[in-house]
Amino acid sequence: MSYVLGIDGGGTKTVCILMDENRQVVGRGEAGASNYQTIGISNTINSINLAIQRAIAERKDLTIIGACLGLAGVSRPRDIEVIKDLLMDLQFYQNLPLNWQLKLDSIVICNDAFIALVGGLGHGTGIVAISGTGSIIFGRNHLGETKRVGGWGHILGDEGSAYQIAVSGMQAALKSYDGREISTSLVAGFQEHLGLANIEDLIEVVYRRGWGVKEIAALAAIVDSAAVNGDAIANRIIEDAVQDLVKATSTVIEAIFHDNEGCEIVTSGGVWQGKANMQGKFAGLIGEKFPQVQVISPKYEPAYGAALLALENIRCC
Amino acid sequence: MSYVLGIDGGGTKTVCILMDENRQVVGRGEAGASNYQTIGISNTINSINLAIQRAIAERKDLTIIGACLGLAGVSRPRDIEVIKDLLMDLQFYQNLPLNWQLKLDSIVICNDAFIALVGGLGHGTGIVAISGTGSIIFGRNHLGETKRVGGWGHILGDEGSAYQIAVSGMQAALKSYDGREISTSLVAGFQEHLGLANIEDLIEVVYRRGWGVKEIAALAAIVDSAAVNGDAIANRIIEDAVQDLVKATSTVIEAIFHDNEGCEIVTSGGVWQGKANMQGKFAGLIGEKFPQVQVISPKYEPAYGAALLALENIRCC
């Protein structure tokens, strides 16, 4: 029996799926982050190596005939070269107890949105609407044409993401505090959650504690709760986020799916799990504009999608 | 003759004005940044020391009877303590050739918006609308009551600032590029200015070159130029920035100036110097809402305002 590796290399963790030729998952391992642009190549190799080791567990001499690695921020040719070097390095120098039979063309490197699409849908045609810390909409039609909208990061875009919901919430709380905006429970919400004597101390929290994008994005939960509890400002922020995601998704549909061509949109990322039912609102608005399109929750995780892509790649080679 | 020091301690430079008791400026010196929260206390002392040294030039044994230091981000009591310690340190340990006669109550520490107000208007009653890298609106009525709106920094606010204009411009360019927005000359504008082969490379510039708020804010000039050349998207961004500044300023007027009470608003900061005539648009909208209010350009610089405050403080002590 031969196997493939499907690897989801993210900014928080790395997941590796070991899959046999019949699409059966025979192992799964997790390790730390593997976004090489941020943490460096050597840490990335270590995370991927560890995730593979945990996926194969105690098994020895498995024959690995293909691999697919999905990574955030990988789209340019020079990124792909760097990553292929990484995988070759694993194969030759890391002494994993595997019978490697990888060739350059049995390795697939792609962006994380594509493996989320394939994992989420169980196949490679449709759209994935990712909204977690950041946001991106990625689609692929039956001709293999792809279209990406968003994914420009927390300063340049990420509309509809947890980061943007959190920042909009804090901005609205401060505008309410200084008199530019109507009263909102977000002021008390942020103060209580962060243990602040005064909402002005948000400055201390956001600028002086060395907080990054993830720590800020986690505050989207405050906006989510306030919205569920009927706060008008929080609800407007949630509606705006949904509208941004609908706009981005509509742009993908119109770019690569023909009129009345049915397709599925799979949602992915923590924002869709909020209590404010963003997925339901999103599905409702998409359904009005595109009655032939269905919004679903993910069938499998992105690493599973990566493994499917590794298998598919071997079959067409 | 006795003298006072007026010091404007900013994130880019420190300016010191030496003023006599008749409000005559007899010296002026500049040095590097003095935002102690970012660059630390020892660098701040050095900048202030050097600015004073340059302001007094070759003069010796001037009697200094008062000082006022305006600093960004200073409003909490514990900040004021830190800064008074700084000035006492200068007086006793830095060996400037001055005859210091400062007491704790002849030193005024205040935020940078207040010295910009006093310098800009030449007196202490009215409003300053600051829009440079960041933005803040600060007002003081004839009873000495103050009101601040905005000033929450680049993540939490700074509506109408150069940073926000620049970021809105880049977001619009990327939305246009990925199909969510109509065509805009901003795409070519950013590419040419930054020497990018593709607008996607904005990601490289903004996230991977270690750019800070100031470097990003400087790109507001691209939006300004595009607006002047008739670009619809760029003009919308400029209009939105003006509206944000009008909203914040109106909030200050309504909070501390009575109906039909006349007052002056002085603009301050680089955004008002753009080619797109934001000051004229701002003055037009403010004039419609508050016919009794005048918008003017600064009469003097903030360090001059600090010196006036130092004098005034001595007279009322």
Side-chain angles (χ1 to χ4, degrees), chain A residues 251-305:
Chain A
T251 305
V252 171
I253 295 173
E254 285 158 2
I256 59 167
F257 292 92
H258 294 291
D259 294 343
N260 302 319
E261 186 180 358
C263 82
E264 283 179 328
I265 300 169
V266 61
T267 59
S268 175
V271 160
W272 304 108
Q273 265 82 59
K275 291 171 286 183
N277 189 26
M278 283 181 60
Q279 177 148 344
K281 291 169 177 155
F282 175 81
L285 291 168
I286 289 286
E288 283 172 24
K289 287 180 78 171
F290 307 99
Q292 76 285 9
V293 171
Q294 299 294 318
V295 176
I296 65 166
S297 290
K299 290 182 181 158
Y300 307 99
E301 66 180 332
Y304 182 96

Coordinates of all heavy atoms in Angstrom, one line a residue, chain A residues 251-305:
Chain A
T251 N -18.7 38.5 -6.1 CA -17.6 38.9 -7.1 C -17.0 37.6 -7.7 O -16.8 37.5 -8.9 CB -16.6 39.8 -6.5 OG1 -17.2 40.9 -6.0 CG2 -15.6 40.2 -7.5
V252 N -16.8 36.6 -6.8 CA -16.2 35.3 -7.2 C -17.2 34.6 -8.1 O -16.9 34.1 -9.2 CB -15.8 34.5 -6.0 CG1 -15.4 33.0 -6.5 CG2 -14.6 35.1 -5.3
I253 N -18.5 34.5 -7.7 CA -19.5 33.8 -8.4 C -19.6 34.4 -9.8 O -19.6 33.7 -10.8 CB -20.9 33.9 -7.7 CG1 -20.8 33.1 -6.4 CG2 -22.0 33.3 -8.6 CD1 -22.1 33.3 -5.5
E254 N -19.7 35.7 -9.9 CA -19.9 36.4 -11.2 C -18.7 36.2 -12.1 O -18.8 36.3 -13.3 CB -20.2 37.9 -11.0 CG -21.7 38.0 -10.5 CD -22.0 39.3 -9.7 OE1 -21.0 40.1 -9.6 OE2 -23.1 39.5 -9.3
A255 N -17.5 36.1 -11.5 CA -16.3 36.0 -12.3 C -16.1 34.6 -13.0 O -15.6 34.5 -14.1 CB -15.0 36.3 -11.4
I256 N -16.4 33.5 -12.3 CA -16.1 32.2 -12.8 C -17.2 31.2 -12.9 O -17.1 30.1 -13.4 CB -14.9 31.6 -12.1 CG1 -15.2 31.4 -10.6 CG2 -13.6 32.4 -12.3 CD1 -14.2 30.5 -9.9
F257 N -18.4 31.6 -12.4 CA -19.6 30.7 -12.6 C -20.6 31.3 -13.5 O -20.9 32.5 -13.3 CB -20.2 30.3 -11.2 CG -19.3 29.5 -10.4 CD1 -18.4 30.0 -9.5 CD2 -19.2 28.1 -10.5 CE1 -17.5 29.3 -8.7 CE2 -18.3 27.3 -9.8 CZ -17.5 27.9 -8.9
H258 N -21.1 30.5 -14.5 CA -22.0 31.1 -15.4 C -23.4 31.3 -14.8 O -23.7 30.7 -13.8 CB -22.1 30.1 -16.6 CG -20.9 30.0 -17.4 ND1 -20.4 31.1 -18.1 CD2 -20.0 29.0 -17.5 CE1 -19.2 30.7 -18.7 NE2 -18.9 29.4 -18.3
D259 N -24.2 32.1 -15.5 CA -25.5 32.3 -15.0 C -26.2 31.0 -14.8 O -26.2 30.1 -15.6 CB -26.3 33.1 -16.1 CG -25.8 34.5 -16.3 OD1 -25.0 34.9 -15.4 OD2 -26.1 35.1 -17.3
N260 N -26.9 30.9 -13.6 CA -27.6 29.7 -13.3 C -26.8 28.4 -13.1 O -27.4 27.4 -13.0 CB -28.8 29.5 -14.3 CG -29.7 30.7 -14.4 OD1 -30.0 31.2 -13.4 ND2 -30.0 31.0 -15.6
E261 N -25.5 28.6 -13.1 CA -24.7 27.4 -12.8 C -24.7 27.2 -11.3 O -24.3 28.0 -10.6 CB -23.2 27.7 -13.3 CG -22.3 26.5 -13.3 CD -20.9 26.8 -13.8 OE1 -20.7 27.9 -14.2 OE2 -20.1 25.9 -13.7
G262 N -25.1 26.0 -10.9 CA -25.2 25.7 -9.5 C -23.8 25.5 -8.9 O -22.8 25.1 -9.6
C263 N -23.6 25.9 -7.7 CA -22.3 25.5 -7.0 C -22.5 25.6 -5.5 O -23.5 26.1 -5.0 CB -21.2 26.4 -7.5 SG -21.1 28.0 -6.7
E264 N -21.6 25.0 -4.8 CA -21.7 25.1 -3.3 C -20.6 26.1 -2.8 O -19.5 26.2 -3.3 CB -21.4 23.7 -2.7 CG -22.6 22.8 -2.8 CD -22.3 21.4 -2.2 OE1 -21.1 21.0 -2.3 OE2 -23.2 20.8 -1.7
I265 N -21.0 26.8 -1.8 CA -20.1 27.6 -1.0 C -19.9 27.0 0.3 O -20.9 26.8 1.1 CB -20.6 29.1 -0.8 CG1 -20.9 29.7 -2.2 CG2 -19.7 29.9 0.0 CD1 -21.7 31.0 -2.0
V266 N -18.6 26.7 0.7 CA -18.4 26.2 2.0 C -17.8 27.3 2.9 O -16.9 28.0 2.4 CB -17.5 24.9 2.0 CG1 -16.1 25.2 1.4 CG2 -17.3 24.3 3.4
T267 N -18.3 27.5 4.1 CA -17.8 28.5 5.0 C -16.7 27.8 5.8 O -16.7 26.6 6.0 CB -18.9 29.0 5.9 OG1 -19.4 27.9 6.7 CG2 -20.0 29.7 5.2
S268 N -15.7 28.6 6.2 CA -14.6 28.1 6.9 C -14.0 29.2 7.8 O -13.9 30.4 7.4 CB -13.5 27.6 5.9 OG -12.3 27.2 6.6
G269 N -13.7 28.9 9.1 CA -13.1 29.9 10.0 C -14.1 30.2 11.1 O -15.3 30.0 11.1
G270 N -13.5 30.7 12.2 CA -14.2 30.9 13.4 C -15.3 31.9 13.4 O -16.3 31.8 14.2
V271 N -15.3 32.9 12.5 CA -16.4 33.9 12.5 C -17.7 33.3 12.3 O -18.8 33.7 12.8 CB -16.1 35.0 11.4 CG1 -17.3 35.7 11.0 CG2 -15.0 35.9 11.9
W272 N -17.8 32.2 11.4 CA -19.0 31.5 11.1 C -19.6 30.8 12.3 O -20.8 30.4 12.3 CB -18.8 30.6 10.0 CG -18.3 31.2 8.7 CD1 -17.0 31.1 8.2 CD2 -19.0 32.1 7.9 NE1 -16.9 31.8 7.1 CE2 -18.0 32.5 6.9 CE3 -20.3 32.7 7.8 CZ2 -18.4 33.4 5.8 CZ3 -20.6 33.6 6.8 CH2 -19.6 33.9 5.8
Q273 N -18.8 30.6 13.4 CA -19.3 29.8 14.5 C -19.9 30.8 15.6 O -20.3 30.3 16.7 CB -18.2 29.0 15.1 CG -18.1 27.6 14.7 CD -17.4 27.4 13.3 OE1 -16.2 27.8 13.2 NE2 -18.1 27.0 12.3
G274 N -19.9 32.1 15.4 CA -20.4 33.0 16.3 C -21.9 32.8 16.6 O -22.6 32.1 15.9
K275 N -22.3 33.4 17.8 CA -23.7 33.2 18.1 C -24.7 34.1 17.3 O -25.9 33.9 17.3 CB -23.9 33.6 19.6 CG -23.2 32.7 20.6 CD -23.2 33.2 22.0 CE -22.2 34.3 22.2 NZ -22.1 34.9 23.5
A276 N -24.1 35.1 16.6 CA -25.0 36.0 15.9 C -25.4 35.5 14.5 O -26.0 36.2 13.7 CB -24.2 37.4 15.7
N277 N -25.2 34.2 14.3 CA -25.7 33.6 13.1 C -25.3 34.2 11.8 O -26.1 34.5 10.9 CB -27.2 33.4 13.2 CG -27.8 32.6 12.0 OD1 -27.1 31.7 11.5 ND2 -29.0 32.8 11.6
M278 N -24.0 34.6 11.7 CA -23.6 35.2 10.4 C -23.7 34.2 9.2 O -24.0 34.7 8.1 CB -22.1 35.6 10.5 CG -22.0 36.9 11.3 SD -20.2 37.5 11.5 CE -19.8 37.8 9.8
Q279 N -23.6 32.9 9.5 CA -23.7 32.0 8.4 C -25.1 32.0 7.8 O -25.4 32.0 6.6 CB -23.3 30.6 8.8 CG -23.5 29.6 7.7 CD -22.5 28.4 7.7 OE1 -21.4 28.5 8.3 NE2 -22.8 27.4 7.0
G280 N -26.1 32.0 8.7 CA -27.5 32.1 8.3 C -27.8 33.3 7.5 O -28.5 33.3 6.5
K281 N -27.4 34.5 8.0 CA -27.6 35.7 7.3 C -26.9 35.8 6.0 O -27.5 36.2 5.0 CB -27.1 36.9 8.2 CG -27.9 37.1 9.4 CD -27.3 38.1 10.4 CE -28.2 38.3 11.6 NZ -27.5 38.7 12.8
F282 N -25.7 35.3 5.9 CA -24.9 35.2 4.7 C -25.7 34.3 3.7 O -25.9 34.6 2.5 CB -23.5 34.6 5.0 CG -22.6 34.3 3.8 CD1 -21.9 35.3 3.2 CD2 -22.5 33.0 3.4 CE1 -21.0 35.1 2.2 CE2 -21.6 32.7 2.3 CZ -20.9 33.8 1.7
A283 N -26.1 33.1 4.1 CA -26.8 32.2 3.2 C -28.1 32.8 2.7 O -28.4 32.6 1.5 CB -27.1 30.9 4.0
G284 N -28.8 33.5 3.6 CA -30.0 34.2 3.1 C -29.8 35.2 2.0 O -30.5 35.2 1.0
L285 N -28.8 36.0 2.2 CA -28.5 37.1 1.2 C -27.9 36.5 -0.1 O -28.3 36.9 -1.2 CB -27.5 38.1 1.7 CG -28.1 39.0 2.9 CD1 -26.9 39.7 3.6 CD2 -29.1 39.9 2.3
I286 N -27.1 35.5 0.0 CA -26.6 34.8 -1.2 C -27.7 34.1 -1.9 O -27.8 34.2 -3.2 CB -25.5 33.7 -0.8 CG1 -24.2 34.5 -0.3 CG2 -25.2 32.8 -1.9 CD1 -23.4 35.1 -1.4
G287 N -28.6 33.5 -1.2 CA -29.7 32.8 -1.8 C -30.7 33.7 -2.6 O -31.2 33.3 -3.6
E288 N -30.8 34.9 -2.1 CA -31.7 35.9 -2.8 C -31.0 36.3 -4.1 O -31.7 36.4 -5.1 CB -31.8 37.2 -1.9 CG -32.8 37.1 -0.8 CD -32.7 38.3 0.1 OE1 -32.3 39.4 -0.4 OE2 -33.1 38.2 1.3
K289 N -29.7 36.5 -4.1 CA -29.0 36.9 -5.4 C -28.8 35.7 -6.3 O -28.8 35.9 -7.5 CB -27.7 37.5 -5.0 CG -27.8 38.9 -4.4 CD -26.4 39.5 -4.1 CE -25.7 40.0 -5.3 NZ -24.4 40.8 -4.9
F290 N -28.5 34.6 -5.7 CA -28.1 33.4 -6.5 C -28.8 32.2 -6.1 O -28.3 31.4 -5.3 CB -26.6 33.2 -6.4 CG -25.7 34.4 -6.7 CD1 -25.2 35.1 -5.7 CD2 -25.4 34.7 -8.1 CE1 -24.4 36.2 -6.0 CE2 -24.6 35.8 -8.4 CZ -24.1 36.6 -7.3
P291 N -30.1 32.0 -6.5 CA -30.9 30.9 -6.0 C -30.3 29.5 -6.2 O -30.6 28.6 -5.5 CB -32.3 31.1 -6.7 CG -32.2 32.4 -7.3 CD -30.8 32.8 -7.5
Q292 N -29.5 29.4 -7.2 CA -28.9 28.1 -7.6 C -27.7 27.7 -6.7 O -27.1 26.7 -6.9 CB -28.5 28.1 -9.1 CG -27.3 28.9 -9.5 CD -27.4 30.4 -9.5 OE1 -28.4 31.0 -9.0 NE2 -26.4 31.1 -10.0
V293 N -27.3 28.6 -5.8 CA -26.1 28.4 -5.0 C -26.4 28.0 -3.6 O -27.3 28.5 -3.0 CB -25.2 29.7 -5.0 CG1 -24.1 29.6 -4.0 CG2 -24.7 30.0 -6.4
Q294 N -25.8 27.0 -3.1 CA -26.0 26.5 -1.7 C -24.8 26.9 -0.8 O -23.7 26.8 -1.2 CB -26.1 25.0 -1.7 CG -27.2 24.4 -2.5 CD -28.5 24.7 -2.0 OE1 -28.7 24.7 -0.7 NE2 -29.5 25.1 -2.8
V295 N -25.1 27.3 0.4 CA -24.1 27.5 1.4 C -24.1 26.4 2.4 O -25.1 26.0 3.0 CB -24.4 28.8 2.2 CG1 -23.3 29.1 3.3 CG2 -24.4 30.0 1.2
I296 N -22.9 25.7 2.6 CA -22.8 24.6 3.5 C -21.6 24.8 4.5 O -20.8 25.6 4.3 CB -22.5 23.3 2.7 CG1 -21.2 23.3 2.0 CG2 -23.7 23.0 1.7 CD1 -20.7 22.0 1.5
S297 N -21.7 24.0 5.5 CA -20.5 23.9 6.5 C -19.5 22.9 6.0 O -19.9 22.0 5.2 CB -21.1 23.6 7.9 OG -21.8 24.7 8.4
P298 N -18.3 23.0 6.4 CA -17.2 22.1 5.9 C -17.5 20.6 6.2 O -18.0 20.2 7.2 CB -16.0 22.5 6.7 CG -16.3 23.9 7.2 CD -17.7 23.9 7.4
K299 N -17.3 19.8 5.1 CA -17.4 18.3 5.3 C -16.1 17.8 6.0 O -16.2 16.9 6.8 CB -17.6 17.7 3.9 CG -18.9 18.0 3.4 CD -19.2 17.3 2.0 CE -20.5 17.6 1.5 NZ -20.6 17.5 0.0
Y300 N -15.0 18.2 5.5 CA -13.7 17.8 6.1 C -12.8 19.0 6.4 O -13.0 20.1 5.9 CB -13.0 16.8 5.2 CG -13.8 15.7 4.7 CD1 -14.4 15.7 3.4 CD2 -14.0 14.5 5.5 CE1 -15.2 14.7 3.0 CE2 -14.8 13.5 5.0 CZ -15.4 13.5 3.8 OH -16.2 12.5 3.3
E301 N -11.7 18.7 7.1 CA -10.8 19.8 7.4 C -9.8 20.1 6.2 O -9.7 19.2 5.3 CB -10.0 19.5 8.7 CG -9.1 18.3 8.5 CD -8.3 18.0 9.8 OE1 -8.1 19.0 10.6 OE2 -7.9 16.9 10.1
P302 N -9.1 21.2 6.2 CA -8.2 21.6 5.1 C -7.1 20.5 4.8 O -6.8 20.3 3.7 CB -7.7 22.9 5.5 CG -8.7 23.5 6.3 CD -9.3 22.4 7.1
A303 N -6.6 19.9 5.9 CA -5.5 19.0 5.7 C -6.0 17.8 4.9 O -5.3 17.2 4.1 CB -4.9 18.5 7.0
Y304 N -7.3 17.4 5.1 CA -7.9 16.3 4.3 C -8.0 16.7 2.9 O -7.7 16.0 1.9 CB -9.3 16.0 4.9 CG -10.1 14.9 4.2 CD1 -10.0 13.6 4.8 CD2 -10.8 15.2 3.1 CE1 -10.8 12.6 4.2 CE2 -11.6 14.1 2.5 CZ -11.5 12.9 3.0 OH -12.2 11.9 2.4
G305 N -8.3 18.0 2.6 CA -8.4 18.5 1.3 C -7.0 18.4 0.6 O -6.8 18.1 -0.6

